[in-house]
Amino acid sequence: MDQSETVHNDPMPRVARPNLSDDARSALATLGEPVNFAILSRLLAEGPLTRGRIAELVEVNRVTVQDHLETLRELGVIEAHPIQEPDGKRHRHEYVVLEQVVSERYRDLGVELGLGRTGPASK
């Protein structure tokens, strides 16, 4: 089978499915998805933000933002902090980026790409 054929009903060509470490896969899931990247970028630039404010800033509906926030929380790159509301009835959160974790994800991608290797990259 050549590299352009699919394997096990996977629609992506083999050449586009590199054998990645779990760390690199997690990094790509976090940083390689445009909405995730936009959310992280806004949170880093503007500090803690609510879901509604994030939706306004990245111009994506709140339901989509909520799905991405949940993914980013599961991936361990953001945290949700409850906001104390004066009436005590609403349950809102502000989201913050765990900068150290994001830095580690970028490092994981670099390692996977071969950055920091001594000698020429393999051909």
Side-chain angles (χ1 to χ4, degrees):
M1 178 181 312
D2 77 28
Q3 289 186 345
S4 65
E5 294 180 65
T6 58
V7 178
H8 305 302
N9 297 324
D10 189 337
M12 188 175 291
R14 179 162 172 68
V15 71
R17 290 184 292 111
N19 186 19
L20 300 173
S21 68
D22 289 343
D23 289 341
R25 260 184 223 297
S26 181
L28 283 174
T30 304
L31 305 169
E33 206 295 317
V35 175
N36 288 351
F37 190 89
I39 290 170
L40 291 171
S41 177
R42 287 301 188 153
L43 286 171
L44 286 167
E46 302 193 29
L49 297 170
T50 62
R51 178 184 61 174
R53 184 67 180 136
I54 293 167
E56 290 171 9
L57 292 170
V58 300
E59 299 179 16
V60 175
N61 71 60
R62 288 178 185 219
V63 173
T64 299
V65 167
Q66 182 60 40
D67 291 343
H68 285 272
L69 289 170
E70 186 59 33
T71 297
L72 291 168
R73 282 181 58 193
E74 289 171 2
L75 291 168
V77 295
I78 65 169
E79 288 182 337
H81 298 163
I83 299 172
Q84 289 286 19
E85 297 290 343
D87 62 8
K89 294 179 183 176
R90 293 179 60 187
H91 300 287
R92 295 187 322 146
H93 292 84
E94 287 184 318
Y95 296 87
V96 296
V97 175
L98 301 174
E99 293 182 34
Q100 180 65 33
V101 177
V102 172
S103 293
E104 290 169 4
R105 298 292 162 85
Y106 274 108
R107 186 203 68 232
D108 294 339
L109 285 175
V111 167
E112 196 72 28
L113 288 169
L115 296 176
R117 261 187 270 194
T118 57
S122 43
K123 295 180 181 180

